[in-house]
Amino acid sequence: MGYMVRLGLWGAGTCFKDFQIFLGALDKGGVGALELVAMDMKARGMYVCRTLSYKGAEFEVIEAPLEAEMTDMYKKAAEFWAELRVELLSASAFLANDKPNSSQLWRLYWSGHQRFFRHMCMSAKVPATVRLAKKALAEGKCVVIGLQSTGEARTEEAVTKYGLELDDFISGPRELLLKFVEENYPLPEKPEPLPGEESVKELQRKRHSASPGVSFKGRVRKAAKWKPASDGESDEESETDSAHESTESDDEFQICEICNSEEERKKLLQCSCCGQLVHSGCLVPPITDVIPSDWSCHSCKEKTEEYLQSRHAYLTELLKRYEAALERKSKILDIIRSMDFPNNPLDDIVDQLGGPDKVAEMTGRRGMLVRASSGKGVTYQARNTKEVTMEMVNMHEKQLFMDGKKLVAIISEAGSAGVSLQADRRAANQKRRVHITLELPWSADRAIQQFGRTHRSNQASAPEYRIIFTNLGGERRFASIVAKRLESLGALTQGDRRAGLSLSAYNYDSAFGKKALMMMYRGIMEQDVLPVVPPGCSSEKPETIQDFMTKAKAALVSVGIVRDTVLGNGKDYGKLSGRIIDSDMHDVGRFLNRLLGLPPDIQNRLFELFISILDLLVQNARIEGNLDSGIVDMKANIIELQGTPKTVHVDNMSGASTMLFTFTLDRGITWESASTKLDEKQKDGLGSPNDGFYESKREWLGRRHFILAFESTAASGMYKIVRPAVGESLREMPLAELKNKYRKLSSIEKARSGWEDEYEVSSKQCMHGPKCKLANYCTVGRRIQEVNVLGGLILPVWGTIEKALSKQARQSHKRLRVVRLETTADNKRIVGLLVPNAAVETVLQDLAWVQDIDD
């Protein structure tokens, strides 16, 4: 909004001097403040938010568990990728130190890894998609299936490789793996074929044939010291020099190889074998005798039979190593070919739903594989026919669907723009659309774009949306990305973040997600204690936890999160030690990506552990009041508006006003409703022997407290707590803590009198008793509360309220909180800024300069 200066939200005459201050204020207010700005702008008539009504549209997230065959396939694939990683590591170790090369290899490995398992997740959902589609067709509806990857690249490569007629559909994952290994398996350099066995005589012949007046063309390379050629220097290298020989005399470049000077040019010696030029005095030891005509340098003298033999042995060894690596590579390729992998999902779905004659396809691919009429084998054919050009094929297919000639449509991203597939009143096919999302795109606007194909104006019926996820922890990665972006796009569905698809449950890449991941990693690496018991383990049996830790650590090693691993010896025999680098510690995206490459069992357990730590952190933040959940709904059994709202400010331009509302909230639970709750629980047979009324073992200011506890349905061993004064508590209590702090009451009469007494006393005073320092302003444990909310136009007085709150003594009173209340009698909803009771006077005094207050 930075450029929207004429809106008058900041600048001269407002309480925000410039945009940066406006931005800072909204940052403090969190998501709730952003929603307030939108409401404010609506109140002043400067913001219109129109959206197509979602009335009648149904959303459902469906979990499709992996079938047994798929689970087995997935497990084998995960194990294969882990083995392939070890194989690539050991193959790379044999190579010369080509660091840049290896980093490129691992980039390709991990990107291939992610694409492969995304394919697998998609294939795992095919049976569920086909079932849903057939069910919808049987109910007289028609189906639109949304996906992203069509697998065209893999199919075209395979057709080029194997021909137009194949035994079965192409398997994307298999082709992806074959291509990766084929192109990136690290092979040592192939040694040049061994030259014909050069003997010493051959060398001597070469020496004599070298003409004495030879010089190099171009400047001679500098050599500070005279180095004898090592074993590793190849035969060819030393002979390349003689390739530079030239018959033209290039006198100006006759330079000594050792001292690089041109002095005494006439006295330069030339090697009869390699043509090097040197001064006799520069040699070690210097030559003082008469120089023979076929003088040869030190490195050439060394080229004797012995040198040639060792050279031969070295090259043979290199060749052996190269051939062994080649054999390993072909073995790996054979293993990949023999493994079971799922077919390309798009071809598979089209085939199972009746082939191209029954399914309209709107994708970007040019050709497809179609099953032969005999049912044996498949043939590759172009998607268009003689009558329809390739450019028009999608529009032609769309028309067939809208005319009701085909009742299933499949759209990819190419078919997600400019195509209307809704149950249009003008179209022949007005059956209700069932929009199944097989694969979510990476970005939220594209997801919305795809959902919007089947939901448009002038439709006979609204669509049913079905989003399918597998039960694999790692697949939530793809949901999490879109959830995050859908949420940041905000009011796209019904002008409200909470409307439409509730994918926020899948947003793990948040500040809490990062913290939860770090706690989990530290727990697994045994640097810290895990805050929760891992899934499938019990705190009574420490060996189950130890077993899980070992498996989890091994799993993290296999997907490259734990690095520099060493297997311990001696007393630490069999223990893995390693480290997780700092950048990986908070990288939720990488964790979810790599998680996909683990067998389903450990993958889900690791994911559950991560989620349970995340839930714990969010729960704690909620209790401490640090969780920004946008606008907070204030709940109570009875909410009443007291008197008429006071007008505390009127905006000169728009005439919109700011009002102060005062509400009375009764949060208490009467004895009757508490005992009814308990009776219902026991009637349904859901009760536990520990359910019932309890009293505190310790006295607090001369009184004992009474509670009702019953086992939570969400988590066994945890108990929901209901108190007479404040109703149901947010935090659930473990059984051990409950028994430690409270004792169960057998006498109903005692429970009743205690409950009613506490209910009565809490209406007037807080739990700190009559001598509380904050007196009437303290609300801890008080049943009846007075709540003040500033509603209506807030932005013009935002700065004033912020200043007034910053003067408050208590930290919790300094924070701006946006709340929503709904009166119980007439269901009137008010959204605004919560003003703590202690701050009401200060706020009203500070607002007095804006306008006089009617008392």
Side-chain angles (χ1 to χ4, degrees):
M1 292 171 75
Y3 66 93
M4 300 185 190
V5 287
R6 287 177 301 165
L7 288 177
L9 295 177
W10 59 88
T14 67
C15 56
F16 306 111
K17 203 164 70 192
D18 56 34
F19 181 65
Q20 286 310 318
I21 295 170
F22 171 73
L23 205 58
L26 293 191
D27 248 2
K28 275 187 211 154
V31 183
L34 300 179
E35 298 188 19
L36 253 186
V37 171
M39 284 164 47
D40 233 54
M41 287 164 69
K42 277 185 179 175
R44 292 198 237 176
M46 57 166 88
Y47 171 45
V48 180
C49 171
R50 290 207 177 114
T51 172
L52 188 61
S53 159
Y54 269 69
K55 192 178 176 189
E58 292 173 25
F59 290 93
E60 193 184 344
V61 175
I62 294 172
E63 192 166 275
L66 261 67
E67 297 184 352
E69 186 188 352
M70 189 67 203
T71 308
D72 190 44
M73 217 183 271
Y74 197 100
K75 190 176 173 211
K76 283 180 180 156
E79 285 164 1
F80 179 79
W81 274 93
E83 282 165 22
L84 179 62
R85 183 168 162 268
V86 175
E87 179 62 45
L88 291 175
L89 279 168
S90 55
S92 307
F94 270 117
L95 299 188
N97 287 340
D98 289 342
K99 274 285 174 256
N101 227 358
S102 76
S103 70
Q104 171 75 0
L105 167 73
W106 292 115
R107 263 204 305 280
L108 288 166
Y109 173 86
W110 290 119
S111 64
H113 183 272
Q114 189 181 336
R115 277 209 308 279
F116 176 92
F117 285 106
R118 186 170 186 176
H119 255 295
M120 292 290 280
C121 289
M122 221 175 124
S123 303
K125 292 182 278 190
V126 168
T129 307
V130 171
R131 269 201 305 277
L132 279 172
K134 285 183 174 169
K135 185 179 171 218
L137 292 170
E139 288 168 0
K141 298 169 184 171
C142 61
V143 180
V144 176
I145 298 170
L147 42 78
Q148 295 306 302
S149 18
T150 57
E152 179 179 34
R154 300 288 94 74
T155 306
E156 288 196 344
E157 280 167 15
V159 167
T160 318
K161 208 160 44 172
Y162 311 124
L164 294 174
E165 295 195 1
L166 304 159
D167 295 338
D168 201 355
F169 293 116
I170 293 300
S171 163
R174 178 182 292 121
E175 293 304 315
L176 194 143
L177 253 178
L178 286 171
K179 189 180 178 195
F180 171 72
V181 175
E182 193 72 65
E183 292 177 5
N184 300 298
Y185 187 86
L187 291 172
E189 222 173 296
K190 187 176 181 180
E192 290 297 316
L194 285 171
E197 296 296 342
E198 283 193 37
S199 60
V200 179
K201 285 180 189 140
E202 182 69 16
L203 273 170
Q204 299 294 347
R205 193 185 62 71
K206 274 194 177 175
R207 270 176 207 164
H208 290 299
S209 63
S211 52
V214 175
S215 78
F216 290 170
K217 196 169 194 182
R219 191 164 283 285
V220 173
R221 78 194 147 87
K222 294 183 178 178
K225 270 199 215 112
W226 191 241
K227 282 196 227 152
S230 67
D231 249 13
E233 191 172 310
S234 76
D235 226 57
E236 293 76 51
E237 264 179 48
S238 40
E239 280 174 30
T240 47
D241 292 352
S242 55
H244 288 295
E245 288 174 8
S246 148
T247 46
E248 304 163 23
S249 177
D250 221 346
D251 276 354
E252 60 175 310
F253 288 136
Q254 292 204 337
I255 295 174
C256 170
E257 274 283 301
I258 298 172
C259 68
N260 293 328
S261 76
E262 298 189 37
E263 292 157 25
E264 303 174 305
R265 215 183 280 172
K266 299 281 177 281
K267 292 186 182 173
L268 281 172
L269 291 177
Q270 186 173 28
C271 171
S272 59
C273 187
C274 63
Q276 301 256 22
L277 293 164
V278 287
H279 287 123
S280 55
C282 293
L283 291 169
V284 184
I287 297 180
T288 46
D289 314 337
V290 181
I291 297 142
S293 59
D294 60 349
W295 174 84
S296 56
C297 65
H298 185 65
S299 64
C300 292
K301 271 185 194 157
E302 278 206 331
K303 291 200 171 179
T304 55
E305 287 289 354
E306 187 189 337
Y307 166 77
L308 285 169
Q309 274 169 2
S310 64
R311 171 99 193 111
H312 182 243
Y314 175 66
L315 284 175
T316 314
E317 182 55 41
L318 278 186
L319 198 63
K320 257 193 208 158
R321 196 178 283 181
Y322 174 77
E323 280 166 357
L326 210 55
E327 198 178 326
R328 300 257 334 144
K329 179 177 170 178
S330 66
K331 265 188 189 159
I332 292 170
L333 292 170
D334 289 343
I335 292 171
I336 297 171
R337 289 190 191 101
S338 69
M339 282 173 81
D340 244 354
F341 287 121
N343 292 336
N344 182 15
L346 179 51
D347 288 326
D348 217 359
I349 291 172
V350 173
D351 185 46
Q352 290 191 47
L353 291 177
D357 303 335
K358 300 276 176 70
V359 181
E361 183 187 322
M362 282 153 264
T363 64
R365 62 180 190 164
R366 291 184 291 278
M368 55 185 171
L369 291 168
V370 181
R371 196 172 287 287
S373 50
S374 60
K376 284 181 182 170
V378 291
T379 319
Y380 182 78
Q381 61 185 51
R383 278 184 58 220
N384 63 327
T385 55
K386 282 178 189 164
E387 299 83 54
V388 186
T389 63
M390 188 55 85
E391 288 73 34
M392 292 306 294
V393 71
N394 281 351
M395 297 317 288
H396 175 69
E397 291 281 285
K398 176 215 143 177
Q399 208 43 57
L400 289 172
F401 176 73
M402 296 305 272
D403 293 345
K405 290 174 183 163
K406 293 183 179 183
L407 293 178
V408 180
I410 295 187
I411 52 172
S412 73
E413 200 174 316
S416 293
V419 181
S420 301
L421 302 172
Q422 81 277 26
D424 199 313
R425 293 179 198 278
R426 297 163 299 184
N429 175 10
Q430 290 185 20
K431 295 182 172 188
R432 188 170 189 187
R433 308 313 196 224
V434 177
H435 189 137
I436 302 170
T437 302
L438 180 69
E439 179 189 21
L440 276 167
W442 282 106
S443 68
D445 45 352
R446 284 184 189 163
I448 290 288
Q449 178 81 327
Q450 205 173 69
F451 293 150
R453 298 303 97 213
T454 47
H455 182 57
R456 306 179 87 101
S457 51
N458 194 33
Q459 59 190 12
S461 58
E464 295 175 23
Y465 291 104
R466 305 274 180 266
I467 297 185
I468 307 182
F469 289 138
T470 58
N471 57 344
L472 287 169
E475 207 218 346
R476 319 275 171 101
R477 156 71 169 151
F478 303 114
S480 115
I481 284 281
V482 180
K484 188 176 181 182
R485 293 176 188 161
L486 271 175
E487 236 174 78
S488 64
L489 275 180
L492 262 173
T493 42
Q494 297 175 355
D496 182 350
R497 280 176 308 110
R498 284 164 298 285
L501 284 169
S502 171
L503 280 177
S504 54
Y506 296 106
N507 181 11
Y508 307 119
D509 209 347
S510 57
F512 291 112
K514 290 180 169 72
K515 194 173 171 193
L517 184 69
M518 192 173 84
M519 288 167 84
M520 181 181 84
Y521 280 164
R522 293 181 71 87
I524 290 172
M525 299 308 286
E526 292 170 35
Q527 296 164 345
D528 249 338
V529 180
L530 276 174
V532 295
V533 177
C537 301
S538 132
S539 46
E540 276 93 58
K541 295 182 183 165
E543 66 276 5
T544 56
I545 298 178
Q546 202 45 54
D547 176 53
F548 170 78
M549 292 300 216
T550 312
K551 281 183 182 163
K553 202 182 283 186
L556 292 179
V557 169
S558 74
V559 289
I561 285 175
V562 176
R563 310 186 184 193
D564 309 332
T565 44
V566 180
L567 258 177
N569 287 323
K571 67 174 181 357
D572 293 330
Y573 177 72
K575 261 193 159 184
L576 278 170
S577 67
R579 67 191 177 100
I580 297 176
I581 59 169
D582 290 346
S583 60
D584 279 359
M585 272 303 212
H586 307 96
D587 198 336
V588 180
R590 175 164 287 179
F591 164 68
L592 290 168
N593 278 346
R594 300 283 171 89
L595 197 60
L596 271 177
L598 293 173
D601 170 44
I602 188 73
Q603 178 180 144
N604 290 346
R605 284 179 77 185
L606 265 175
F607 187 74
E608 275 173 48
L609 174 62
F610 169 65
I611 291 302
S612 50
I613 297 176
L614 178 60
D615 287 346
L616 183 75
L617 290 177
V618 171
Q619 179 82 337
N620 290 346
R622 189 178 281 124
I623 291 166
E624 290 158 17
N626 297 334
L627 185 71
D628 172 24
S629 50
I631 295 180
V632 179
D633 281 302
M634 293 194 85
K635 298 266 197 314
N637 289 333
I638 302 166
I639 300 179
E640 286 172 352
L641 180 62
Q642 280 187 359
T644 50
K646 291 177 183 171
T647 304
V648 292
H649 169 65
V650 176
D651 184 48
N652 296 332
M653 277 176 68
S654 62
S657 54
T658 309
M659 327 271 279
L660 179 70
F661 299 87
T662 306
F663 294 94
T664 312
L665 271 64
D666 187 342
R667 302 186 291 170
I669 296 238
T670 59
W671 166 255
E672 285 74 23
S673 23
S675 45
T676 312
K677 248 186 187 179
L678 185 63
D679 291 346
E680 278 174 5
K681 199 84 173 135
Q682 286 166 343
K683 229 180 253 167
D684 296 345
L686 299 168
S688 118
N690 296 308
D691 291 355
F693 290 96
Y694 288 74
E695 73 166 345
S696 59
K697 290 181 180 176
R698 282 175 53 209
E699 283 192 355
W700 172 269
L701 300 172
R703 312 175 56 85
R704 289 189 192 274
H705 288 291
F706 293 83
I707 62 165
L708 162 65
F710 51 87
E711 191 167 21
S712 160
T713 46
S716 58
M718 298 299 276
Y719 282 75
K720 279 192 189 300
I721 306 297
V722 181
R723 302 176 196 277
V726 293
E728 196 173 303
S729 166
L730 273 175
R731 180 174 168 266
E732 293 180 352
M733 203 179 272
L735 183 61
E737 188 183 340
L738 178 70
K739 289 193 166 172
N740 183 24
K741 291 181 177 174
Y742 298 89
R743 71 170 73 89
K744 194 170 180 194
L745 292 170
S746 47
S747 153
I748 287 291
E749 273 315 303
K750 188 179 179 187
R752 182 185 185 136
S753 63
W755 189 280
E756 287 177 341
D757 175 45
E758 193 169 332
Y759 181 81
E760 204 47 53
V761 171
S762 63
S763 65
K764 301 283 188 300
Q765 67 180 43
C766 62
M767 67 184 291
H768 306 119
K771 292 178 185 170
C772 178
K773 288 177 196 166
L774 291 165
N776 290 342
Y777 298 137
C778 183
T779 57
V780 180
R782 185 193 283 199
R783 178 163 66 83
I784 294 177
Q785 277 184 340
E786 197 175 81
V787 171
N788 293 286
V789 175
L790 272 179
L793 202 63
I794 300 290
L795 273 188
V797 294
W798 184 283
T800 318
I801 299 163
E802 203 169 19
K803 250 185 230 144
L805 292 186
S806 66
K807 297 174 194 167
Q808 294 306 305
R810 291 187 67 183
Q811 195 59 40
S812 60
H813 286 174
K814 290 182 181 181
R815 201 165 151 243
L816 282 160
R817 287 174 66 204
V818 185
V819 295
R820 184 194 287 118
L821 290 113
E822 191 171 344
T823 55
T824 39
D826 51 1
N827 291 22
K828 225 164 122 185
R829 294 175 75 174
I830 304 293
V831 177
L833 278 182
L834 177 71
V835 183
N837 296 358
V840 173
E841 248 169 83
T842 328
V843 169
L844 292 183
Q845 277 166 12
D846 285 9
L847 284 173
W849 66 269
V850 183
Q851 186 168 322
D852 292 335
I853 302 155
D854 316 323
D855 275 323

